[in-house]
Amino acid sequence: MSEICENWSQWLKQNRFAGQTPEMIEQTTKWLEAVRDVILVYAEIQPHETVLDIGTGEGLLAFKALEMQNCKGNVIFSDKFNDCLLNCQRILDKSCVTEGYQMLLCPCEHIALPESTVHKALMRSVLVHIVNKQPAINEIYRALKPGGKFCAFEPIIRSNTRYWEILDPAHIDKYNDFKKVENELMENPLDSLCNFDQNTLKINLEIAGFSIPEVKLQEVKSSYVVQDGMVEKWFNNPPSPNQPTTKERYLKYFDEATVDKFISDAQKYLTGREINLKTNAVFINATK
């Protein structure tokens, strides 16, 4: 069984890039920056506006918004994990930044701000960690001023390439059994990671009250050669703090020896092979 991450800071430092080569980490970092820039273009941040970064994490969105406003507005670093806020505060202190921002400790489902407080609400990969997304989106709508914008990015994991699609049944013991279980896991309505898509998000936004919300699907195709030990990390790396690993999810259906044999077969088959992957996500641009 894997060691569960204690907090988001630990996960971001130790687990986010698990199983990636230095080249892949560099590509992912550039991709994260590109995602940030798209969100901020949608947001159209103006001088002196109040900007809320929900689930700020390492402050990817908030720091850039602060820079864009030249510390003359109010950028709110918001997160339910205090370790993330403390890390962001340390960066600001080190940079001698003393104005134009505030820290807010609260979950997305209960934003600790009065109604109609912020001009822009930003978010990246937060709803994917919330099982019931409607209350969270309702809260974002409540916190926005009339005419305010909600701009976000969310991965659509349920429609990504699945393990069984890149494996050969002839080389994998109990291939069909694991295929059936993986498909079941990806359709679990109680799993925050995969219980939504672009259509359900648009419905959530409309129910909250957003007028004609734009939910734009983005499909990214990539390919790389699988390195030795990479597959094992795929199965033993938690997707977020307090979330079970893929191996642990499979252990609800199979004994450990069977799961270990599957991982070993997959590692043996994939190592040295080039694989082609499809990754889906959406950009949200909605106005109150």
Side-chain angles (χ1 to χ4, degrees), residues 164-259:
W164 61 264
E165 294 181 274
I166 58 174
L167 296 172
D168 185 341
H171 295 266
I172 308 297
D173 191 30
K174 299 185 183 298
Y175 171 89
N176 287 323
D177 292 338
F178 278 92
K179 175 181 176 179
K180 180 181 178 181
V181 168
E182 183 178 9
N183 287 338
E184 183 175 328
L185 290 171
M186 289 297 103
E187 299 296 331
N188 181 0
L190 299 179
D191 189 338
S192 67
L193 298 177
C194 51
N195 68 352
F196 70 105
D197 59 22
Q198 65 273 22
N199 297 317
T200 62
L201 284 178
K202 187 170 184 180
I203 292 171
N204 291 147
L205 291 162
E206 290 171 344
I207 290 173
F210 287 99
S211 59
I212 317 177
E214 178 185 3
V215 181
K216 186 177 181 180
L217 182 66
Q218 177 195 68
E219 180 181 283
V220 176
K221 294 183 178 180
S222 61
S223 62
Y224 61 87
V225 176
V226 178
Q227 305 295 313
D228 186 39
M230 187 177 285
V231 173
E232 185 176 356
K233 291 181 179 179
W234 292 351
F235 283 89
N236 287 289
N237 184 48
S240 64
N242 300 316
Q243 281 273 9
T245 65
T246 300
K247 177 179 177 178
E248 289 166 341
R249 293 169 193 266
Y250 280 134
L251 286 173
K252 294 181 179 180
Y253 297 85
F254 308 101
D255 61 56
E256 190 160 15
T258 300
V259 176

Side-chain angles (χ1 to χ4, degrees), residues 3-12 15-16 80-81 83-84 129 192-193 237-245 249:
E3 178 183 351
I4 296 295
C5 291
E6 294 179 356
N7 55 49
W8 271 102
S9 295
Q10 180 184 343
W11 184 86
L12 289 166
N15 299 86
R16 174 194 281 186
K80 73 174 184 177
F81 295 99
D83 58 288
C84 292
H129 300 294
S192 67
L193 298 177
N237 184 48
S240 64
N242 300 316
Q243 281 273 9
T245 65
R249 293 169 193 266

Side-chain angles (χ1 to χ4, degrees), residues 29 39 42 47-48 56 97 103 105 110 167 175 207 228-229 231 233 249-250 270 282:
T29 300
I39 293 172
Y42 279 157
H48 308 294
T56 191
V97 176
M103 298 291 167
L105 180 64
H110 300 286
L167 296 172
Y175 171 89
I207 290 173
D228 186 39
V231 173
K233 291 181 179 179
R249 293 169 193 266
Y250 280 134
L270 290 173
V282 292

Side-chain angles (χ1 to χ4, degrees), residues 16-17 25-39 58 60-61 124-125 153:
R16 174 194 281 186
F17 299 121
I25 292 173
E26 182 179 0
Q27 290 176 359
T28 301
T29 300
K30 289 180 179 179
W31 169 78
L32 286 170
E33 292 172 350
V35 165
R36 174 201 65 193
D37 293 345
V38 171
I39 293 172
E58 292 183 315
L60 180 71
L61 299 173
R124 185 190 64 79
S125 301
F153 169 92

Side-chain angles (χ1 to χ4, degrees), residues 126-177:
V126 174
L127 294 174
V128 69
H129 300 294
I130 299 173
V131 175
N132 189 354
K133 293 159 178 58
Q134 190 64 60
I137 293 174
N138 292 346
E139 267 293 273
I140 296 167
Y141 184 87
R142 183 192 65 79
L144 282 168
K145 293 176 177 289
K149 298 184 71 174
F150 171 43
C151 304
F153 169 92
E154 290 292 337
I156 307 298
I157 295 173
R158 70 192 299 176
S159 57
N160 288 352
T161 300
R162 301 185 180 180
Y163 290 117
W164 61 264
E165 294 181 274
I166 58 174
L167 296 172
D168 185 341
H171 295 266
I172 308 297
D173 191 30
K174 299 185 183 298
Y175 171 89
N176 287 323
D177 292 338

